[in-house]
Amino acid sequence: MSEAWARKHLGGVVGARLVRELQGYPCAGLAPSEDGTLRRQSISCSRTFGRPLREKESVLGAVSAFVARAAEKLRRQGDLAHVLAVFISKNRFGPDAAGHSRSAVLTLPVPISNTRELTVRASQLLARLWELGAIYVKAGVVLAGLEPPGLGQQLDLFGEAQPAAAVPAAGNRGRR
């Protein structure tokens, strides 16, 4: 099939690209990010439950599984997360349609990728969002503020000081 025929009968440039793609020639690759990689800027994991849930333990189990999956993706990319968000949703067509979704965001003092630490923080966020007697149909987590380890790490003002790298004192530069 010729490119001219594809342009005429399949919608112009889009049709020609379609034919070339089907012939095995990539026409539109993924655009790399500013640093030249295909790194994600955020990682999310969410699902609609198979049935509506009203028990907090069931929703917490689902959120914990979502955190584990998102943390796995985070570690596979080799990054740490500064921000954790959790959301839960009710049936948007139910009687409480006005406030069907709630979310909470936590900026972490130090970027992490540890599943246990992220799960503890996610359960704290879920406790803030939980409405007694509500029926939930969906939940999810988002990890954002992703960065490689050791790059621009935020200092903890009230934590213990970490030993600094060996740097010559200002008064000793140039002297023997």
Side-chain angles (χ1 to χ4, degrees):
M1 176 177 316
S2 72
E3 191 171 323
W5 185 91
R7 282 179 185 261
K8 183 176 180 182
H9 294 90
L10 296 177
V13 174
V14 174
R17 286 184 182 163
L18 173 66
V19 169
R20 292 200 39 88
E21 288 279 350
L22 290 173
Q23 292 172 344
Y25 300 104
C27 294
L30 294 174
S33 62
E34 292 176 5
D35 64 355
T37 65
L38 295 173
R39 300 182 80 79
R40 297 176 176 154
Q41 295 179 1
S42 65
I43 295 173
S44 67
C45 186
S46 65
R47 298 284 183 274
T48 300
F49 306 133
R51 61 180 174 76
L53 300 177
R54 72 174 69 220
E55 302 84 25
K56 186 176 181 181
E57 292 76 27
S58 298
V59 176
L60 179 59
V63 168
S64 297
F66 301 153
V67 167
R69 179 72 179 121
E72 179 183 323
K73 292 178 184 179
L74 181 67
R75 287 188 299 274
R76 191 176 325 129
Q77 183 169 306
D79 282 343
L80 303 173
H82 276 287
V83 178
L84 170 65
V86 174
F87 68 88
I88 51 177
S89 300
K90 302 177 204 172
N91 184 353
R92 75 174 100 179
F93 303 110
D96 291 338
H100 79 279
S101 186
R102 301 185 71 194
S103 64
V105 178
L106 174 67
T107 301
L108 302 165
V110 177
I112 58 175
S113 66
N114 183 293
T115 300
R116 187 183 60 78
E117 291 179 35
L118 288 167
T119 302
V120 167
R121 302 243 168 69
S123 67
Q124 293 168 349
L125 291 175
L126 182 63
R128 288 187 359 205
L129 298 173
W130 190 257
E131 291 180 25
L132 195 58
I135 301 171
Y136 295 100
V137 296
K138 183 177 183 176
V141 299
V142 178
L143 300 175
L146 308 185
E147 68 178 38
L151 179 69
Q153 190 167 346
Q154 181 177 341
L155 300 176
D156 186 4
L157 180 61
F158 300 107
E160 291 188 23
Q162 299 295 322
V167 176
N172 294 335
R173 287 189 188 151
R175 294 184 189 165
R176 293 193 183 215

